[in-house]
Amino acid sequence: MLCSDEVTTIRKSFPSLEELVFNMLSQGDGTISVSTFFDALQAKGLTLNDPRLKESMDNFRSKHLPQFPERIGDKYLTADEFKDCVQDNIVLIGRALQNKLIIPDFPEFAATIQETFEEAKNNETGELADYIPQLARQDPNAWGVSICTIDGQRCSFGNTSDHFSFQSSSKAPAYALASTLMGSDFVHRHIGFEPSGQSFNALFLNNNNTPHNPMLNSGAIVTAALIKPELTAADRFDFIMSKFREAAGGEYIGFSNATFLSEKKTGFRNFAITYLLQDYNCFPPGADPVDTLELYFQICSLEVNCESASVMAATLANGGICPLTGKKVFESVAVRDTLSLMLSCGMYDFSGQFAFKVGMPAKSGVSGCVMLVVPNIMGIMMWSPLLDNFGNSCRGIQFCQDLVTHFNFHNYDNLRHHSAKKIDPVTQRTHSQATRTMKLLFGAYNGDASALRQYFLQGMDMAESDYDSRTALHLAAAEGHTECVEFLLEKCNVSPDVLDRWGHTPLDDARLFGHTGVVDILENFKARRQEET
Ligand code: GLN
């Protein structure tokens, strides 16, 4: 065995994260091309304007090309210059380049999303909402999908920077906000939990004479009354806008005064709902019903684009913390409640079918937007103005349904003994492949040579690796299992030079943990192989 000093020396001799990244991407002449580095980050789904990379991007430009910052990609830097630029953000950069972000193979994932997007584009069914001119004038061909993962990996297809009216999709973050501020118990003294079985703007309350849930108009009007009631109308509006913007990582949140004026002018049903709520004492004491309704109209008239709203959805997927800024916007319990109600009530009268077929929380809006949350993985915002009979975006619904044919995102896709072969983009494998790999690695870790023989005979790829790129040979070497190491090298022809996530070979592991028997086997094998070539 090695003594602890030797272990420390070996550990110290491992390169720093900055060096690892440099070595991974540098050219033969000992420099790194800045554009190669940027391309590598973008291939992992990060964008160069990500606030978490700001310090590095500023360093590259100000230290190396202050006069022509836009041409920074043309520069080549030495290892020291590179390290000096990236060290402030090296943890994120290191995680991305070592495939440690939630979707490790982002290009492959994004390619499937693009295919799904293109297929839905062919769907030209549906009608524009026409109750106000601002929605009737929307472009029927517009179609956009943006994704933001809980690690801030982004991809966008179609009209994703066009602004559109947030409408009823705003009910989800508005409820998360009210529940964060007031607590669930207080909010639900005023609003119920159940799907209504009625249209979203029905003049109808539940048996307790409260709104059925916060995802339909009556519930959302009461929700508006619960957000900072102590402030003036102007300050309440500013407060909501700033919270929504925080949830969107500082990205686009606007307001359409024209939409607001139209909503107010034509919203007879919403006035009727508000007076019914007032008649049944549904508002908290002191709330002015008409001011509250105006605030509700203002929230519906906020504008977003697919990109900014995908970040909001990702904040919900991430338990209330914005993935791009790390800021806590909503309480996690409030987010859990929001997702529960989105799942049961978020898609109007299609909510039951949507929960059945898609199995994920979503909230649609009459402008044709659908905000979809894949809990703990990503947020997705879709927008296409043509609506089906339920008032949901036709392309949005098709996209959601197709999405779960590719990926294991449905709530119950991961049920034991479920046979569907869907991709898990987090582990990059189908469920059964991942299970087989884990069994192989487990066998190697335990030194179970007979299990390895059995997997080999079954035709399994013995070089399979886990999330950290650790192979069976790494584990057998690190644990000192000589028989397994010999079997893997001699019979299965696995390479002894394979690197794990930290750039270590099986030989490094055997040395680090002082397994001299394994060290000898690996060194002899390599020497023999060199003689042969
Ligand atoms: N502003 C609309 C209303 O209150 C919101 C409708 C919606 O998106 N379903 O009627």
Side-chain angles (χ1 to χ4, degrees), residues 440 442-455 481 483-484:
L440 166 66
F442 197 64
Y445 177 80
N446 285 327
D448 188 347
S450 72
L452 297 193
R453 269 185 219 107
Q454 193 190 326
Y455 300 138
H481 299 310
E483 194 185 348
C484 292

Side-chain angles (χ1 to χ4, degrees), residues 131 167-168 200 217 263 270 296 300 348 365-366:
Y131 71 96
Q167 290 295 340
S168 280
F200 68 92
N217 288 14
E263 290 283 348
N270 286 321
Y296 165 80
C300 289
Y348 309 125
V366 75

Side-chain angles (χ1 to χ4, degrees), residues 103 109 358-360 374-375 377-378 402-415 418 420-432 434:
I103 305 294
F109 172 76
V358 179
M360 278 184 277
V374 191
I377 301 182
M378 65 182 64
D402 287 354
L403 185 72
V404 291
T405 64
H406 297 297
F407 300 112
N408 67 342
F409 287 166
H410 187 295
N411 225 339
Y412 302 118
D413 268 337
N414 302 321
L415 213 53
H418 186 51
K421 297 246 177 318
K422 295 187 185 181
I423 301 289
D424 179 347
V426 175
T427 63
Q428 294 170 283
R429 299 185 179 102
T430 60
H431 187 62
S432 54

Side-chain angles (χ1 to χ4, degrees), residues 24 38-47 93 95-107 149 151-154:
M24 209 183 270
F38 288 173
D39 289 348
L41 288 179
Q42 286 170 308
K44 303 297 172 190
L46 297 182
T47 57
I93 294 168
R95 283 183 64 216
L97 297 181
Q98 293 175 71
N99 288 339
K100 282 193 201 168
L101 301 183
I102 186 81
I103 305 294
D105 191 344
F106 201 73
T149 72
D151 281 330
Q153 298 162 283
R154 325 261 314 246

